[in-house]
């Protein structure tokens, strides 16, 4: 949030930490961490009831002489039933640099959402019809800085995945959302596909493609590819790193690098 609201944001973070700390002794259902990071493609997996998971990271995205660094990227996930989880995306702190000089910085808009599982299949069952979930979310226009917007920006998407008898698995998302640039509304649709390979029970690698199209108004289109690795430190803590670049005429000069982790209680 804006500098004048940092104290209230700090109070909120402290309250959230205290709340999570108080819930941890009661929120320990069995199962390893399954994160929606890294990459663009969310998994259809929903946390079991009472489970809490936090996912955080930092990404540096460079296009020509402009670099945008997003710090935080916090996603808090809370299982509230056999098929539903609530999601809170805390507002990351962003900084935009041009030729090494800061031209804009501040907190991005936070976002709230939910994930509802529509069909769950155990990983040991390999069927042509996938695991599938619906995700809905919207930003909250807190007007904290020049990096925020004046109106909520809603989105919805379908997430699916397939497992195989081999170490390979596949994940895909199809989404549609609205955008607002303080002057006009726009919208865009996107699709992503991620292929994962388990090198070891604790180490996996992936390659991913993202295509954004059907854009109009304030929205923009473009394509990206990235690859990364995840390392399961413990059953409940996963580290990750990814690198990527833009593809095509619109985003060909883009390069990005991200690191992060996910912790489940």
């Amino acid at each position: 949030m804006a500098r004048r609201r940092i104290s209230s944001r700090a109070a909120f973070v402290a309250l959230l930490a205290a709340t999570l700390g108080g819930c941890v002794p009661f929120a320990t259902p069995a199962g390893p961490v399954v994160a929606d990071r890294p990459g663009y493609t969310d998994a259809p997996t929903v946390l079991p009831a009472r489970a809490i998971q936090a996912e955080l990271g930092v990404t540096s995205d460079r296009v020509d002489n402009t670099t945008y660094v997003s710090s935080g990227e916090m996603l808090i996930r809370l299982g509230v039933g056999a098929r539903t989880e609530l999601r809170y995306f805390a507002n990351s702190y962003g900084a935009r640099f041009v030729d090494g000089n800061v031209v804009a910085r501040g907190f991005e808009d936070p976002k709230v959402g939910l994930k509802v599982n529509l069909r769950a299949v155990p990983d040991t069952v390999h069927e042509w019809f996938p695991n599938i979930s619906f995700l809905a979310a919207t930003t909250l226009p807190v007007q904290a800085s020049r990096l925020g917007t004046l109106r909520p920006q809603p989105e919805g998407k379908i997430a699916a995945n397939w497992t195989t008898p081999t170490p390979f698995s596949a994940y895909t998302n199809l989404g549609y959302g609205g955008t607002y640039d303080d002057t006009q509304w726009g919208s865009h649709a996107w699709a992503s596909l991620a292929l994962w390979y388990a090198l070891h029970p604790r180490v996996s690698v992936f390659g991913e493609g993202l295509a954004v199209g059907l854009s109009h108004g304030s929205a923009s289109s473009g394509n990206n590819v990235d690859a990364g690795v995840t390392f399961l430190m413990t059953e409940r803590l996963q580290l990750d790193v990814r690198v990527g670049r833009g593809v095509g005429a619109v985003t060909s000069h883009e390069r990005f690098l991200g690191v992060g982790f996910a912790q489940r209680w």
Side-chain angles (χ1 to χ4, degrees), residues 30-48:
V33 57
V34 179
D36 280 340
R37 60 169 303 118
Y40 302 104
T41 308
D42 289 336
T45 307
V46 171
L47 291 182

Side-chain angles (χ1 to χ4, degrees), residues 130-166:
N131 298 312
I132 189 167
S133 289
F134 174 73
L135 295 85
T138 183
T139 61
L140 302 176
V142 296
Q143 300 182 38
S145 71
R146 292 170 57 188
L147 304 179
T149 62
L150 297 176
R151 299 184 184 180
Q153 301 188 66
E155 66 180 35
K157 62 184 172 183
I158 293 292
N161 87 293
W162 295 262
T163 59
T164 73
T166 73

Side-chain angles (χ1 to χ4, degrees), residues 16-241:
L16 178 62
T19 301
L20 294 181
C23 292
V24 167
F26 306 98
T28 56
V33 57
V34 179
D36 280 340
R37 60 169 303 118
Y40 302 104
T41 308
D42 289 336
T45 307
V46 171
L47 291 182
R50 299 190 303 165
I52 298 173
Q53 186 163 303
E55 304 178 14
L56 299 93
V58 178
T59 299
S60 176
D61 192 320
R62 182 176 180 84
V63 180
D64 295 326
N65 66 334
T66 301
T67 301
Y68 184 79
V69 179
S70 175
S71 303
E73 300 177 352
M74 179 184 289
L75 167 60
I76 301 295
R77 302 167 60 185
L78 174 64
V80 294
R83 292 180 176 271
T84 305
E85 71 176 43
L86 301 180
R87 299 158 68 84
Y88 173 72
F89 302 78
N91 42 355
S92 298
Y93 185 83
R96 182 173 290 110
F97 302 84
V98 176
D99 293 326
N101 300 311
V102 178
V103 296
R105 60 185 175 184
F107 288 102
E108 302 169 351
D109 287 338
K111 184 164 64 174
V112 294
L114 58 81
K115 181 192 291 188
V116 179
N117 181 249
L118 304 178
R119 185 175 189 265
V121 179
D123 288 346
T124 55
V125 177
H126 313 298
E127 299 182 350
W128 69 269
F129 196 74
N131 298 312
I132 189 167
S133 289
F134 174 73
L135 295 85
T138 183
T139 61
L140 302 176
V142 296
Q143 300 182 38
S145 71
R146 292 170 57 188
L147 304 179
T149 62
L150 297 176
R151 299 184 184 180
Q153 301 188 66
E155 66 180 35
K157 62 184 172 183
I158 293 292
N161 87 293
W162 295 262
T163 59
T164 73
T166 73
F168 279 104
S169 58
Y171 293 77
T172 187
N173 285 177
L174 296 173
Y176 185 83
T179 61
Y180 187 74
D181 65 358
D182 296 343
T183 59
Q184 63 176 334
W185 277 101
S187 63
H188 64 291
W190 68 92
S192 65
L193 174 66
L195 301 179
W196 284 80
Y197 186 85
L199 296 173
H200 180 274
R202 292 187 178 274
V203 181
S204 295
V205 295
F206 77 95
E208 179 184 42
L210 169 71
V212 181
L214 299 178
S215 305
H216 73 272
S218 60
S220 61
S221 61
N223 305 311
N224 294 100
V225 294
D226 65 334
V229 59
T230 61
F231 179 64
L232 203 60
M233 295 286 292
T234 70
E235 188 180 55
R236 301 299 180 94
L237 175 62
Q238 175 182 283
L239 306 181
D240 66 72
V241 60

